Amino acid sequence: MNAPRARVARRPVHGVLLLDKPIGLSSNQALQKAKWLLRAEKAGHTGTLDPLATGVLPLCFGAATKFSQMHLDADKAYETTVRLGIKTSTADAEGDVLSERPVDVSQAKLDAVLQQFTGPIAQVPPMHSALKKDGKALYEYARAGIEVEREPRHVVIYALKQLPAPMDSARPAIKLVVECSKGTYIRTLGEDIGEALGCGAHLSALRRIRTGGFDANQCVSLEALEAMTEEQRLACLLPVEALLPQHVSVTLDSENAARFLSGMRRRGAWADAEQVAVYATMPKALLGTAQVKAGELIPVRLLSPLEISETLGQQQALEQSLKQSNETLALGA
């Protein structure tokens, strides 16, 4: 019998952790484990990955949760293996086999089909998805054996590239890199490619290699996190503003920063902009997001003074800890 997990003393933690989600865990399970390792009070993720999928899963802690919604709109990139000849109930390897068909696919036919699915396309969301209808997730209907009508969704496949892979006649499959817009269902794409090839298909592997400006090379695994000290785990966090790469930067002096934080508009010689990240100076700190219209800086989403203070304190404590570690290493050299 497993011993109960020890209770940990939670603390305010602020920042973004780029997690390489392992296979077999839901996004929420991975989030909760990372949250426990960091002893964080508040956390959320920026869009789910199926348990079958691995790869880039940005996790937001503390103040970063205020901006996690923005990252849901980010473009994505995936590596996937599409198993040909077998259609399943979930369009992936976890589902029941619905049909099997012979595979007779030439490279010319495959190239033509991949071209057909490049650019703007319409997808019918899979029944086994978290998309809601009448307040209920589609997968709940699916588990009850109910299929409901779903409206097609329009997405964009920016690039669909075949990777070299040995073709096993007993288990024919193709490996693809998919660069796509938000809301793209890779399982549906694989299944639709199989139908267009006339043999059916399902995903046997899926890895997200990029979301927005974050890619897999920047990620840390749960195993690596477990092996770290608390200071090393905190050092893995990106600052909150990592979620705002496309935002125009505006810096305010102390007086205007205080007024902005209280929700007041500021006037200045700024060009109109829909997405603005606003900072204070002395010390440099993110205050929140805004819009600029006709020379007015209009608050949109603000951090609280406590969140700003905790973020600065976290950074200072980490810098001090790393400095002490370096000094200890130098003395021992």
Side-chain angles (χ1 to χ4, degrees):
M1 184 173 178
N2 292 332
R5 175 175 280 186
R7 291 185 64 85
V8 298
R10 300 289 181 181
R11 58 180 174 174
V13 172
H14 303 280
V16 181
L17 179 71
L18 300 184
L19 183 70
D20 189 339
K21 190 190 85 65
I23 195 168
L25 291 185
S26 70
S27 293
N28 189 57
Q29 287 171 328
L31 169 69
Q32 295 306 321
K33 188 156 190 178
K35 183 180 177 183
W36 184 81
L37 288 169
L38 282 161
R39 297 198 290 116
E41 290 176 346
K42 186 178 181 182
H45 54 69
T46 61
T48 60
L49 279 174
D50 293 338
L52 172 74
T54 66
V56 187
L57 182 66
L59 303 180
C60 298
F61 294 89
T65 61
K66 289 188 171 180
F67 309 107
S68 59
Q69 188 71 23
M70 295 179 179
H71 204 75
L72 294 176
D73 294 337
D75 294 334
K76 314 287 194 298
Y78 298 86
E79 283 184 3
T80 185
T81 301
V82 182
R83 173 80 189 280
L84 303 177
I86 299 176
K87 182 175 181 176
T88 72
S89 57
T90 57
D92 61 26
E94 295 184 322
D96 298 327
V97 174
L98 298 180
S99 64
E100 294 190 46
R101 285 178 269 176
V103 179
D104 182 15
V105 177
S106 66
Q107 187 62 52
K109 184 175 182 180
L110 178 57
D111 290 343
V113 166
L114 295 184
Q115 185 61 39
Q116 176 186 333
F117 284 94
T118 303
I121 64 170
Q123 290 188 322
V124 176
M127 282 299 302
H128 286 269
S129 71
L131 194 67
K132 291 190 176 181
K133 184 177 178 67
D134 298 330
K136 192 174 176 181
L138 290 180
Y139 64 77
E140 295 182 69
Y141 292 103
R143 289 172 181 169
I146 302 169
E147 180 152 349
V148 298
E149 188 174 344
R150 288 97 71 203
E151 289 292 324
R153 299 176 67 170
H154 296 278
V155 299
V156 181
I157 308 298
Y158 302 114
L160 191 52
K161 178 185 175 184
Q162 184 182 4
L163 295 176
M167 182 65 83
D168 180 353
S169 58
R171 296 173 60 87
I174 52 174
K175 290 190 72 173
L176 301 171
V177 171
V178 184
E179 297 179 19
C180 57
S181 66
K182 68 167 185 174
T184 302
Y185 288 100
I186 307 299
R187 283 180 296 148
T188 299
L189 179 66
E191 190 173 58
D192 290 346
I193 288 172
E195 290 304 314
L197 291 170
C199 59
H202 68 273
L203 296 195
S204 59
L206 179 63
R207 178 167 178 77
R208 185 154 70 191
I209 56 176
R210 188 174 69 253
T211 173
F214 305 137
D215 67 44
N217 294 330
Q218 299 171 270
C219 293
V220 62
S221 68
L222 282 174
E223 281 186 352
L225 273 181
E226 286 178 319
M228 292 178 184
T229 64
E230 285 205 337
E231 289 76 13
Q232 289 171 330
R233 290 169 189 163
L234 284 175
C236 289
L237 293 175
L238 299 177
V240 175
E241 54 264 34
L243 293 171
L244 312 173
Q246 306 302 320
H247 284 56
V248 176
S249 178
V250 166
T251 301
L252 301 176
D253 60 30
S254 57
E255 181 181 345
N256 281 301
R259 292 177 183 274
F260 176 81
L261 268 185
S262 69
M264 295 177 66
R265 300 183 179 195
R266 302 286 81 208
R267 293 204 65 85
W270 302 296
D272 284 5
E274 286 294 318
Q275 295 184 319
V276 179
V278 183
Y279 296 88
T281 183
M282 302 296 289
K284 177 81 178 248
L286 178 69
L287 304 179
T289 57
Q291 296 177 339
V292 175
K293 293 183 179 179
E296 274 198 321
L297 185 68
I298 305 167
V300 173
R301 199 72 194 265
L302 300 176
L303 299 186
S304 70
L306 178 60
E307 288 170 330
I308 295 168
S309 174
E310 288 173 348
T311 300
L312 290 171
Q314 176 182 305
Q315 184 61 34
Q316 290 165 359
L318 181 58
E319 288 173 358
Q320 183 64 29
S321 176
L322 292 174
K323 182 182 177 181
Q324 290 174 351
S325 296
N326 290 336
E327 290 173 349
T328 302
L329 288 172
L331 288 172

